[in-house]
Amino acid sequence: MQRVLLVEDHASFRQALALLFDAEPGFEVAGQAGTLKEARRVASGREPRPTLGIIDLNLPDGDGSQLIGELREQNPDFAALVLTASVDRADHARAVEAGAAGVLHKSADVDEILDAARRLAAGEPLMSPQEVAEMIRLAGRSREEERGLRENAARLTPREREVLQALAEGLSNREIAERLHMSVDTERTHMVNILSKLGAHSRLQALVLAARAGVVRLGGDG
């Protein structure tokens, strides 16, 4: 009997999965959680421990990949199947690097989810060694890119950060200049320097990179 832990912050989707697995021979739902904190509490308080996890990556209090490594440390036989709305292969790669046996998009049909769970229960791999190795290489490259982005963002001056934040709030170059009491030419010079430091080719790309680095708050909300 496979004891399934469901970790998904959307309650209706999680409950639908619970009904699915409770109706499937060989599986029982051992616990449900909508956050990392809840999942840790549920998993640590259950004996016997869960043997299979259906885990979302984007949880309110962190990345589901963190949980995968923790649960595999507690139980080396624990298998994790990631079910996520993310289409970013870097997200998938980080999950595999953390120990996920496979990754499915949330749009996958019921048969595909159950087939993956059955294969894991039977000890069958969902990915070839070559696929796993490629995912781990991709995760490493993603970390290097994020580290490079943070280093680039650290070179931005306080004034350049103000320009970026004003841009994030939807201001035009003229409006940014007025707010920051500078000429339009000076604002453009700041923007040229920002693009150069972030390795961006447009204002929009600079804004996206700055948001990823935590330099700006998109929409200007706190």
Side-chain angles (χ1 to χ4, degrees):
M1 179 68 71
Q2 291 293 312
R3 298 177 298 279
V4 183
L5 173 64
L6 301 173
V7 185
E8 161 64 51
D9 61 326
H10 291 95
S12 58
F13 187 69
R14 186 177 69 242
Q15 288 159 7
L17 287 173
L19 291 173
L20 178 68
F21 278 100
D22 275 336
E24 182 68 15
F27 294 89
E28 64 176 2
V29 176
Q32 299 185 42
T35 65
L36 289 177
K37 183 178 180 180
E38 289 176 5
R40 289 171 178 134
R41 178 179 54 78
V42 170
S44 63
R46 293 278 177 176
E47 288 293 346
R49 297 283 175 85
T51 56
L52 174 64
I54 309 298
I55 300 175
D56 189 10
L57 295 181
N58 188 21
L59 296 168
D61 55 347
D63 187 341
S65 294
Q66 300 172 29
L67 184 66
I68 295 170
E70 293 171 14
L71 294 178
R72 284 184 58 80
E73 282 182 12
Q74 295 173 15
N75 177 11
D77 294 328
F78 179 82
L81 174 64
V82 167
L83 204 55
T84 178
S86 172
V87 294
D88 188 341
R89 289 191 75 240
D91 289 340
H92 302 178
R94 283 190 290 270
V96 172
E97 185 182 45
V103 180
L104 290 178
H105 193 267
K106 284 185 177 179
S107 62
D109 61 35
V110 168
D111 289 340
E112 190 174 359
I113 295 170
L114 286 177
D115 179 64
R118 292 189 199 104
R119 289 173 62 189
L120 289 178
E124 298 178 17
L126 298 184
M127 303 174 67
S128 70
Q130 293 80 10
E131 288 173 317
V132 173
E134 175 56 30
M135 283 292 192
I136 291 174
R137 282 194 294 269
L138 177 57
R141 288 198 300 270
S142 176
R143 276 197 306 277
E144 290 175 6
E145 290 171 1
E146 290 299 319
R147 183 166 55 247
L149 174 57
R150 288 194 298 271
E151 290 172 355
N152 289 342
R155 298 168 52 213
L156 295 168
T157 67
R159 198 59 162 169
E160 288 164 353
R161 289 169 181 256
E162 289 178 338
V163 169
L164 276 168
Q165 184 55 51
L167 181 64
E169 294 172 26
L171 275 62
S172 67
N173 60 340
R174 187 171 298 279
E175 290 169 335
I176 293 172
E178 290 176 359
R179 172 185 285 191
L180 299 180
H181 308 292
M182 63 176 65
S183 70
V184 172
D185 285 343
T186 299
E187 186 274 344
R188 286 174 178 156
T189 298
H190 281 307
M191 188 55 63
V192 168
N193 291 337
I194 289 168
L195 295 178
S196 176
K197 289 178 181 179
L198 294 181
H201 302 292
S202 68
R203 288 175 174 246
L204 178 58
Q205 186 183 14
L207 187 56
V208 170
L209 292 172
R212 276 175 51 193
V215 171
V216 299
R217 303 180 306 277
L218 290 179
D221 52 12

